[in-house]
Amino acid sequence: MNTATRHNKGATIMDVAGHIDIGSSPALRKSMLEYLKHSDRLAVNLAGVKYLDSSGIASLLEVLKEARSSKKRFVLFGLTAAVREVLQLTRLTGVFEVYESEDEALTAETAAGGR
């Protein structure tokens, strides 16, 4: 798994590629939580993710929980078919804020930022 981080429209964008599994999810979770500490908005680009297992889901849920408790925004965008299927099977598509593109995620974040 590879990650890269950048900033756009006041948000931290984390681009993730590869497999999010038992071997890679602890490091990903740590990175996401660290970026969340230093940003009010974290958007995770999953367009390069080919595989997501239960440990990856647990990591995403932990970051979402932290974001909500600290009143920050955490969104996902660019889901591949494989990742979307896993989130649908686990009934989590309604739990996460999910957008098709980075532009949609950032526009929605800005529009919803006041709530």
Side-chain angles (χ1 to χ4, degrees):
M1 181 195 70
N2 296 309
T3 63
T5 306
R6 55 198 167 80
H7 298 279
N8 188 4
K9 297 183 182 177
T12 300
I13 313 294
M14 179 178 252
D15 299 306
V16 183
H19 291 197
I20 302 175
D21 56 23
I22 190 78
S24 62
S25 64
L28 178 63
R29 176 175 51 249
K30 183 178 176 184
S31 294
M32 288 188 296
L33 289 170
E34 190 62 31
Y35 286 117
L36 192 62
K37 283 182 190 175
H38 302 290
S39 178
D40 288 337
R41 299 184 294 167
L42 177 61
V44 179
N45 178 6
L46 298 174
V49 175
K50 307 284 187 246
Y51 176 80
L52 174 69
D53 74 3
S54 60
S55 65
I57 291 170
S59 292
L60 293 173
L61 285 169
E62 185 176 333
V63 176
L64 177 63
K65 181 180 174 185
E66 179 59 31
R68 288 181 175 171
S69 70
S70 59
K71 307 254 188 278
K72 297 185 177 189
R73 309 260 315 162
F74 177 68
V75 301
L76 307 176
F77 70 92
L79 276 61
T80 59
V83 171
R84 186 175 299 280
E85 182 178 6
V86 169
L87 292 180
Q88 287 172 336
L89 288 171
T90 55
R91 301 179 192 266
L92 292 173
T93 50
V95 173
F96 292 102
E97 284 187 65
V98 178
Y99 298 95
E100 292 298 317
S101 69
E102 179 174 331
D103 191 51
E104 286 178 20
L106 298 180
T107 302
E109 284 187 313
T110 302
R115 52 173 181 159

